[in-house]
Amino acid sequence: DKILERVAGLASFSASKELLLELQPETVLTRVRSLQAATAEAVRLLASRPSLSIGPARDIRPLVDRAKLGAVLQASDLLEILGTIDSARNMHDVLHRGQLVYPELAALASGLHPLRSLHDDITATINEHGEVVDSASPQLTHLRREVRTGRERIMRRLEAMIVDPGNAEAIQEPIVTERNGRYVLAIKAGFRHHIRGVVHDQSESGATLFLEPLATVDMTNDWRQHQLDELREVERILRVLSNRVALEATELRDIVHCL
């Protein structure tokens, strides 16, 4: 056990540590020779390509298990799965091209499934920052456009109220700020009734009220509804991808084991 723990301490991949700690002495001669040949190949491979690694691969088995239970994976989870698939494809290509030089390793690489369809679907849906892209679905494209234009309409209306000479005396600061997810104006407390609206907050001194004018209440309600619809559409998209991960569970677990 002490030897296994020392060897496992040299592994940077959690799945590798797990396999190392499970090692048992091998007694079948052909298997021993095969393992020693694979080890010799690995030494030569790393000598010829010292920068070769499993790159962005992660032990994604817990994510796969959650997907199988019906959980909705987050975009960052799906990026980890994508990185693992990318790593598997890269390693498979390296060993496939060198199968005459590294036959034992090339045989092990047979479990590095390319999963092209899942790879392409994640790539088309999530960007490198872990965000679901606008083009992930026609509905999301529409909703995000509505969210952007809705905010612009609200800002234009509030900015017009700020520069309106009739409101100059009531405005405490000529800025639009946000309270509780709604855009408000900073109004002098003494002019509370000069602009009709809903007070969402006040300054510590009580001299400033943060008021949402009635003129923008309906506009903001529509904007907030589009935001909620956008969140629901993003969750739907992530659920579809999570279901895809669940369908490829066996292959994804194979990839982790092979890497």
Side-chain angles (χ1 to χ4, degrees), residues 138-168:
Q139 179 68 357
L140 187 61
T141 302
H142 166 73
L143 288 170
R144 286 191 171 163
R145 185 185 304 118
E146 289 297 320
V147 168
R148 286 191 294 269
T149 57
R151 180 184 182 280
E152 290 167 2
R153 284 195 294 268
I154 295 166
M155 295 298 288
R156 282 198 302 269
R157 186 71 181 90
L158 291 176
E159 287 165 359
M161 295 181 73
I162 288 174
V163 299
D164 184 342
N167 295 328

Coordinates of all heavy atoms in Angstrom, one line a residue, residues 138-168:
P138 N -33.5 29.4 -32.0 CA -34.2 30.6 -32.6 C -34.9 31.4 -31.5 O -35.0 32.6 -31.5 CB -35.2 30.0 -33.6 CG -34.6 28.7 -34.0 CD -33.9 28.2 -32.8
Q139 N -35.5 30.6 -30.5 CA -36.2 31.3 -29.4 C -35.3 32.1 -28.5 O -35.6 33.2 -28.1 CB -37.0 30.3 -28.6 CG -37.7 30.8 -27.4 CD -38.9 31.7 -27.8 OE1 -39.2 31.9 -29.0 NE2 -39.7 32.1 -26.8
L140 N -34.1 31.6 -28.3 CA -33.2 32.3 -27.4 C -32.7 33.6 -28.2 O -32.5 34.6 -27.6 CB -32.0 31.4 -27.1 CG -31.0 32.0 -26.1 CD1 -31.7 32.4 -24.7 CD2 -29.8 31.1 -25.8
T141 N -32.4 33.4 -29.5 CA -32.1 34.6 -30.3 C -33.1 35.7 -30.2 O -32.8 36.9 -29.9 CB -31.9 34.2 -31.8 OG1 -31.0 33.1 -31.9 CG2 -31.5 35.4 -32.6
H142 N -34.4 35.3 -30.3 CA -35.5 36.3 -30.2 C -35.5 36.9 -28.8 O -35.6 38.2 -28.7 CB -36.8 35.6 -30.5 CG -38.0 36.4 -30.2 ND1 -38.4 37.5 -30.9 CD2 -38.9 36.2 -29.1 CE1 -39.5 38.0 -30.3 NE2 -39.8 37.3 -29.3
L143 N -35.5 36.1 -27.8 CA -35.6 36.6 -26.4 C -34.5 37.5 -26.0 O -34.7 38.6 -25.4 CB -35.7 35.4 -25.4 CG -37.0 34.6 -25.5 CD1 -36.9 33.4 -24.6 CD2 -38.2 35.5 -25.0
R144 N -33.3 37.2 -26.4 CA -32.1 38.1 -26.0 C -32.2 39.4 -26.8 O -31.8 40.4 -26.3 CB -30.8 37.3 -26.3 CG -30.6 36.3 -25.2 CD -29.2 35.7 -25.2 NE -29.0 34.9 -24.1 CZ -28.0 34.0 -24.0 NH1 -27.1 33.9 -25.0 NH2 -27.8 33.3 -22.9
R145 N -32.7 39.4 -28.0 CA -32.9 40.6 -28.7 C -34.0 41.5 -28.0 O -33.8 42.7 -27.9 CB -33.4 40.3 -30.2 CG -33.5 41.6 -31.0 CD -34.0 41.3 -32.4 NE -33.3 40.3 -33.1 CZ -33.7 39.1 -33.5 NH1 -35.0 38.8 -33.2 NH2 -33.0 38.2 -34.1
E146 N -35.0 40.8 -27.5 CA -36.1 41.6 -26.8 C -35.5 42.1 -25.5 O -35.9 43.3 -25.1 CB -37.3 40.6 -26.5 CG -38.1 40.3 -27.7 CD -38.8 41.5 -28.3 OE1 -39.3 42.4 -27.6 OE2 -38.8 41.6 -29.6
V147 N -34.7 41.4 -24.8 CA -34.1 41.8 -23.6 C -33.2 43.1 -23.8 O -33.3 44.1 -23.1 CB -33.3 40.7 -22.9 CG1 -32.4 41.3 -21.7 CG2 -34.2 39.6 -22.3
R148 N -32.4 43.0 -24.9 CA -31.5 44.2 -25.2 C -32.3 45.4 -25.6 O -32.1 46.5 -25.1 CB -30.5 43.8 -26.3 CG -29.4 42.8 -25.9 CD -28.4 42.7 -26.9 NE -28.9 42.1 -28.1 CZ -28.8 40.8 -28.4 NH1 -28.3 39.9 -27.4 NH2 -29.3 40.2 -29.5
T149 N -33.3 45.2 -26.5 CA -34.1 46.4 -26.9 C -34.9 46.9 -25.8 O -35.2 48.1 -25.7 CB -34.9 46.0 -28.1 OG1 -35.8 44.9 -27.8 CG2 -34.0 45.6 -29.3
G150 N -35.4 46.0 -25.0 CA -36.3 46.5 -23.8 C -35.5 47.3 -22.9 O -36.0 48.4 -22.4
R151 N -34.3 46.9 -22.6 CA -33.4 47.7 -21.7 C -33.1 49.1 -22.3 O -33.1 50.1 -21.7 CB -32.1 47.0 -21.4 CG -31.2 47.8 -20.5 CD -29.8 47.0 -20.3 NE -29.0 47.8 -19.4 CZ -28.2 48.8 -19.7 NH1 -28.3 49.3 -20.9 NH2 -27.5 49.4 -18.8
E152 N -32.8 49.1 -23.6 CA -32.5 50.3 -24.3 C -33.7 51.3 -24.3 O -33.5 52.5 -24.1 CB -32.1 50.0 -25.8 CG -30.8 49.3 -25.9 CD -30.5 48.8 -27.3 OE1 -31.4 49.0 -28.2 OE2 -29.5 48.2 -27.5
R153 N -34.9 50.7 -24.4 CA -36.1 51.6 -24.4 C -36.3 52.2 -23.0 O -36.6 53.4 -22.9 CB -37.4 50.8 -24.7 CG -37.5 50.5 -26.2 CD -39.0 50.0 -26.5 NE -39.2 48.7 -25.9 CZ -39.0 47.6 -26.5 NH1 -38.5 47.5 -27.7 NH2 -39.3 46.4 -25.9
I154 N -36.1 51.4 -21.9 CA -36.2 51.9 -20.6 C -35.1 53.0 -20.3 O -35.5 54.1 -19.8 CB -36.0 50.8 -19.6 CG1 -37.1 49.8 -19.7 CG2 -36.0 51.3 -18.1 CD1 -36.9 48.5 -19.0
M155 N -33.9 52.8 -20.7 CA -32.8 53.7 -20.5 C -33.1 55.1 -21.2 O -32.9 56.1 -20.7 CB -31.5 53.1 -20.9 CG -31.1 51.9 -20.1 SD -30.8 52.3 -18.3 CE -29.3 53.3 -18.4
R156 N -33.6 55.0 -22.5 CA -33.9 56.2 -23.2 C -35.0 57.0 -22.5 O -34.9 58.2 -22.4 CB -34.3 55.8 -24.7 CG -33.2 55.4 -25.6 CD -33.6 55.6 -27.0 NE -34.7 54.7 -27.3 CZ -34.7 53.4 -27.8 NH1 -33.5 52.9 -27.9 NH2 -35.7 52.7 -28.0
R157 N -36.0 56.3 -22.0 CA -37.1 57.0 -21.4 C -36.6 57.7 -20.1 O -37.0 58.8 -19.8 CB -38.2 56.0 -21.1 CG -39.5 56.7 -20.5 CD -40.2 57.5 -21.6 NE -41.4 58.1 -21.1 CZ -41.4 59.4 -20.6 NH1 -40.3 60.1 -20.5 NH2 -42.5 59.9 -20.2
L158 N -35.8 57.0 -19.3 CA -35.3 57.6 -18.0 C -34.3 58.7 -18.3 O -34.4 59.7 -17.6 CB -34.7 56.5 -17.2 CG -35.6 55.4 -16.6 CD1 -34.8 54.3 -15.9 CD2 -36.7 56.0 -15.7
E159 N -33.5 58.5 -19.3 CA -32.5 59.6 -19.6 C -33.2 60.9 -20.1 O -32.8 62.0 -19.8 CB -31.5 59.1 -20.6 CG -30.5 58.1 -20.0 CD -29.7 57.3 -21.0 OE1 -30.0 57.5 -22.2 OE2 -28.9 56.5 -20.6
A160 N -34.3 60.6 -20.8 CA -35.1 61.8 -21.3 C -35.7 62.5 -20.1 O -35.8 63.8 -20.1 CB -36.2 61.3 -22.2
M161 N -36.2 61.8 -19.0 CA -36.7 62.4 -17.9 C -35.7 63.2 -17.1 O -36.0 64.2 -16.5 CB -37.4 61.3 -17.0 CG -38.6 60.6 -17.6 SD -39.3 59.4 -16.5 CE -40.2 60.5 -15.4
I162 N -34.4 62.7 -17.1 CA -33.4 63.3 -16.4 C -33.1 64.7 -17.0 O -32.8 65.7 -16.3 CB -32.1 62.5 -16.3 CG1 -32.3 61.3 -15.4 CG2 -30.9 63.3 -15.9 CD1 -31.2 60.2 -15.4
V163 N -33.0 64.7 -18.3 CA -32.7 66.0 -19.0 C -33.9 66.9 -19.2 O -33.7 68.0 -19.7 CB -32.0 65.7 -20.4 CG1 -30.7 64.9 -20.2 CG2 -32.9 65.0 -21.3
D164 N -35.0 66.5 -18.8 CA -36.2 67.3 -18.9 C -36.1 68.5 -17.9 O -36.0 68.3 -16.7 CB -37.5 66.5 -18.6 CG -38.8 67.3 -18.8 OD1 -38.7 68.5 -18.9 OD2 -39.8 66.6 -18.9
P165 N -36.1 69.7 -18.4 CA -36.0 70.9 -17.5 C -37.0 70.9 -16.4 O -36.8 71.4 -15.3 CB -36.2 72.1 -18.5 CG -35.8 71.6 -19.8 CD -36.2 70.1 -19.8
G166 N -38.2 70.4 -16.7 CA -39.3 70.3 -15.7 C -39.0 69.5 -14.5 O -39.6 69.6 -13.5
N167 N -38.0 68.6 -14.7 CA -37.6 67.7 -13.6 C -36.3 68.1 -12.9 O -35.9 67.4 -11.9 CB -37.5 66.2 -14.1 CG -38.8 65.7 -14.6 OD1 -39.9 66.0 -14.0 ND2 -38.7 64.8 -15.6
A168 N -35.7 69.1 -13.4 CA -34.3 69.5 -12.9 C -34.2 69.7 -11.4 O -33.3 69.2 -10.8 CB -33.9 70.8 -13.6

